[in-house]
Every structure is written in structure tokens, then in C-alpha cells.
Amino acid sequence: MKPLTTFQSRTVVLPTRDIDTDQIIAARFLTTTTRDGLGASLFHDLRFGADGQPRPDFPLNRPEAEGCRILVAGNNFGCGSSREHAPWALLDYGFQAVISTEIADIFFNNALKNGLVPIVVDADVHAWLVDNPGVDVSVDVRESVIGLPDGRRIGFPIDGFARHCLVEGIDQLGFLRQHAAAIDRFEEERAWKP
Amino acid sequence: MKTLFEKVWDDHVVVPETADTPAILYIDLHIVHEVTSPQAFSLLRSQKLPVRRPDLTLATMDHSTPTVPGSTFRDLAVVGENAAQQIRQMEENCAGFGVDLLGYGHANRGIVHVIGPELGATQPGKTIVCGDSHTSTHGAFGALAFGIGTTEVGHVLATQCLLQRRPKTLAVTVDGALPAGVTAKDVVLAIIGHIGVDGGTGHVIEYRGSAIRSLDMEQRMTVCNMSIEAGARAGMIAPDDTTIEYLDGRPRAPTGADWDAAVARWRTLRSDDGAAFDREVTLDAATLQPMVTFGTNPGMVLGINDPVPSSGDASFRKALDYMRVEPGKPMTGQAVDVVFIGSCTNGRLSDLEQAAAVLRGRRVADGVRMLVVPGSQRVKDEAEALGLDRVFTEAGAEWREAGCSMCIGMNGDIAQPGQLSVSTSNRNFEGRQGVGARTVLASPVTAAAAAVAGRVTDPRTLLGQQES
Ligand code: SF4
């Protein structure tokens, strides 16, 4: 994974609550055996009508959404299925961060493991971002803060280890494998065996 | 004093967590399926790593497999070329990494969360993971079981361990006796309606109380299965005589002196009196009724005769528009196009028996398509031995091969745009059962009643008729 420290982008806003991973990427696109190219299917049934044409009213289809790397979404984003295809699709489409008032557990973990920054903010900051789509927001992963155009700097919670891995581009499997001796010992010494 | 969760967690910590690093948690059982594992096996291949413990890995195929009656592996065309490729790759991955695969045609193949318990591989006190959010099902045995992403599937394949921060605990207590016609599905839908689809986020739920204790193992699995629909990582129920009786004699359960030792250990797996939970919620079983969803997440749920609520919230209104339902009216009377009985929530033998009891001597209403999809090959065989398949086919329903089927609609089993599906599965998300399909979640009894009436119906009216 590439190290990720700071970036800046305009936002695109999807204010809907409880956007589940089926909406982020529908199950029929999961019959893939790689993680490439999923951006084309991101939010497919929201982005495209039954005729396959883009829905002009969907925020991602508006001209000003072009190139936005930060998605602002309603409460409880990423609930539902554990499919890691959801962060893969968001990243492949070009997103680098998701901001919400709450982000579901499994999605949150999957996002971190792939370099998509899950950012939880309070209701006031969120409401401001929803009311001001397209503003420039900066993200500083090392400091765990976002910067708003009016100069406000807002901290967001992120596990220190996950942050370290993002900033240094560390692969968590490598970290786990460094503990192989402890895993061996655990297997040998435990009181009962599965 | 410890909670059940804390006992199981503490028993599996390889390296404790610190402020800087998460805990390294040992995994006793890793269940793998074809949809969320290909990229994990590719990772192992690229890093030239073996699967550390193939003996603790259980692999099957369920999500993209066909359920067309009598279909065999060679009929994969029915699910499309991509799904067929995914199934072939699963066979190659398992063969290449020395993992036993309960593959197509195997007598023990089935939905990941149905086969673990029925084989006796799911046991109290184990840590169990799978690249699938409904892994919470296995918590019904007092295991700590949760869904993981594909990167983590790779971590477990390579190291048998996961990096985890300890979640919080939530006690959900349901006391009292369940009224007639109210099942485990109704209990868990009521819980989700009560705490909300994000009410369990960051928590492991322990279900307690006399109503939970009175449930058999299959019903307990239905409850734990839907923990994730409240946002919880896992759901657990302390093992008791019901649990031990269920496991006794299962193919992968311990035997002889090992069984006795295991049972002694399992009996210690309960929350100590006075152990503290981070949060507690209580429900009264006597007040529960058959539940149906009216919106596009499982928290948008109400009693079968209650009116759909109204709200000025835009997301709420969008859900009602999608479902084409109106505030102020109950869901009963809504015309039904499709009925689906199956999934890891309600695809076990007792679920099929409950649906069959409603259908026996009755017909599926004209214009309604009803699919009955057993959760596993074993469930299918047992149901056929009881003649349930004939009850379903004589009533006009389709009796299919085992798999996830219309729960997720990856294998060609879908509802058409605009159709209303009454489903015993766990997610009524937009498009989950097909683009534009409208899903109403319900128990097997309520779903079967909807098939007979052709409309969403209070199942107690039919159950009553049968008794008289
Ligand atoms: S039945 Fe549905 S919820 Fe269960 S494992 Fe299959 S797709 Fe997932």
C-alpha cells in the first residue's frame, strides 16, 4: 500500500442515511476474482436508470462532481454486507475518504486496510458539509484532522495503529507475520485445541 | 467477573492490545466461500505463503451456485460465465492450498452459516470468522463469531490470526413467553426495530432472558444471524443443555473423553452474575407479534397489523417511495409477487417445517411465485425424508437445490423490477433481491401465509383455521 499522509479535494455529498454496501456495489458485480475495475459498478443502480443512462440528478453524475476525492454521506454509511468490494469500488472510482456521522464497523475496517480514510465527524460539522457541497476539504492523516475552507480544523478518531499503517504504507499481514513465534507458542501451550 | 464475550476473547489473545497496537486474536474456525476469498488466495500466491491451518479451514460454495432443481456442477451456465469462473477458481484455490472443499455435489455442501453448525464444527467458546457478515449466526452456540473483509480472510489463511480492537458489550434481555405465531425471526426483527440498524455498532450483543433460553438451536441461530442488521459485530447466547444436546454426535463434535472435557469447559461459558455490560436493553416477549418490514432496511419494521409510520426525514420518505407503501396503513393487504423461504436466517429444517405446516392442504395463490431453497444439502435430504418437498410442490411452490439463492440474487434467482417479495432472508436493501425488487422481511410462517393469501397476511388467521 502506498503511504498516505495529506490530500485535498472538493466534496461530493450523498445525504442519504444507511447507505448499505449493496447500494455501494450490488451483489451481481461480485462474481469477480480480482479487485480491479469495480469503480465502473460503484452505486450502479443509483447512478444509472433502467435504460442504462446516467441519472442527471444523482450527485456523482453532476459535472461539478468530476474529480472529487472526498465523499460526504449520511449517517451509518457502509452498513450491511462485509464485502470489501465496497471500499475497492470507491477507491477505484477515485475516492480517497468518506465522511459521515457514523460508519459501520466492517466497512470501516475494510476501508482502512485499503487506504480509504473513514472520517467520522459530529452532527454539526456534518450538517455544514451537507449544506455546502463541493467545498474544498483537506485531510491530514498523520494529525487526524480535516481542514474546512473557513479555517476550522476538526479532529477525527482513528486507531493509532491503523493510522501508522496508512501513513507509513505498512502492510498489516507483514506485521502479523512478525509475531509468528508468539502464534506458534499459543498453539502449543493453549489448554484446549480446536 | 466477566461476561461470556470477555471469557472467549481472553482465551484467544495471542498478543494483548496496547494503546499503539490492536490485539492479535487466534481464530479456531475459518469458513471460506467463493465470493470473498479469490483475492485473498491471490495474495497468498503472490507472497508465496501457504495456508497455515487447512485443518481449521472449512470451505464451501453457496453464494453464486445454481439452485435450479436437479442442477449439477456441469450446468454452471445457468449462473453466468463470471460466476462459473468464480466457482472453478474456488476449486483450484482449495486444491492448490490443501483446503478441503465441500464443493458442488458434496453431501455436506450448503450455506456457510448452515453447514458449520450442522457438522458440529461450530462449538461453544470458539472464535469463528468468515468473509461474510452473517457469521454472527455461530454465536448462537456461545462462540465469538464475526464477519471479516477479504484482506482479513488473507490474514487468517496465512497466520490463523486477526488484528482486533476489543469491542464493547451490549446485553439484550428478552423475558417472558412468546405468543402463538411469534417466532425467533419476529423476536430479532423487534430487537432491531427497537435499537435501530446502527444500535449495535461497535458492540458484541449477548442475548439473554427466559424467552431466548426457550428457543431451540435453530431459532437461536436465527436471532444471532441478524445481529449484524443492528450493526453489531457479533451476537452470542450462552451454551446450555439445548446447545450440548444439539452438538452431541455431530460429525465434527468431540467424542469420548474429549467430549466430556469439552462439555465441562462449555458449562463455564456464561456471563458471571453481576458482570458489567457497556449497555443493556430489555424487551418483554409477551408484547411481541409477527413482524414485517415496510422500508429498505431491517430497522424499518412493524407489527403485522400496525400502521406504517410517517416521518419528514428524506431518507425515510425515499424508502417508502421505493417500497410504494403509504404511511398510516398496515402492510397487510399488499399484493405479493414472490415468496422466498430460505437463507442462513431461515433455511434450516425447522423453518421449512413451519412453512410446510401453513401450506399443507393449501395452494400458493395464483400469480405468486414461491421458491423454497434449503440452506444445505443435508437440510434438503432431511426435508425430503419427511416429505416436505411434496408439501411444497403440491402447493405449487418450487423446491430448489441448496444455496443462498434469492437472499442475495447472485446466481440468477431474482425478483423482477417492482415485484414485491416476502422473504425469510435478512436484508430488505434496495435491489438486494434484484434491481427494483421490493423486499418485505418476515418469518417462514408469515411468508408462507403470504404465499397462500397472495397478500401480506397475519399468519395467525391461517394457523387458527388449521386448528379448528
Ligand atoms: S444466505 Fe444470504 S446472508 Fe446468508 S450467507 Fe448467503 S447471501 Fe449471505
Side-chain angles (χ1 to χ4, degrees), chain A residues 17 34 84 102 159 184 187, chain B residues 26 52 150-151 165 198:
Chain A
R17 271 194 287 122
T34 70
E84 202 160 315
E102 182 167 36
D159 179 64
D184 289 343
E187 282 181 336
Chain B
Y26 196 82
R52 182 184 173 98
T150 298
T151 300
R165 288 283 179 193
D198 57 353

Side-chain angles (χ1 to χ4, degrees), chain B residues 1-13 125 166 236 267-273 275:
Chain B
M1 282 185 298
K2 285 183 181 182
T3 62
L4 167 62
F5 159 75
E6 287 164 327
K7 289 181 184 180
V8 181
W9 173 275
D10 290 350
D11 194 30
H12 290 85
V13 173
R166 182 176 168 136
M236 301 177 85
R267 295 233 182 252
T268 67
L269 294 174
R270 51 177 210 84
S271 291
D272 297 325
D273 294 339

Side-chain angles (χ1 to χ4, degrees), chain B residues 33 62-63 111-113 132-134 225 229 340 342-345 403-405 407-408 425-427 432:
Chain B
H33 67 78
D62 51 4
H63 283 65
I111 303 174
V112 275
H113 314 309
D132 192 289
S133 58
H134 292 97
N225 173 275
E229 306 313 332
F340 171 64
S343 88
C344 59
T345 311
C404 295
S405 182
C407 173
I408 186 163
S425 55
N426 41 53
R427 287 188 173 141
R432 171 85 174 180

Side-chain angles (χ1 to χ4, degrees), chain B residues 234-247:
Chain B
M236 301 177 85
I237 296 174
D240 58 11
D241 290 343
T242 307
T243 321
I244 290 163
E245 212 173 284
Y246 176 97
L247 285 170

Side-chain angles (χ1 to χ4, degrees), chain A residues 133-154:
Chain A
V135 295
D136 250 311
V137 171
S138 65
V139 178
D140 184 330
V141 182
R142 202 188 300 271
E143 300 292 325
S144 311
V145 291
I146 59 171
L148 304 185
D150 57 11
R152 276 186 291 169
R153 286 169 61 78
I154 318 282

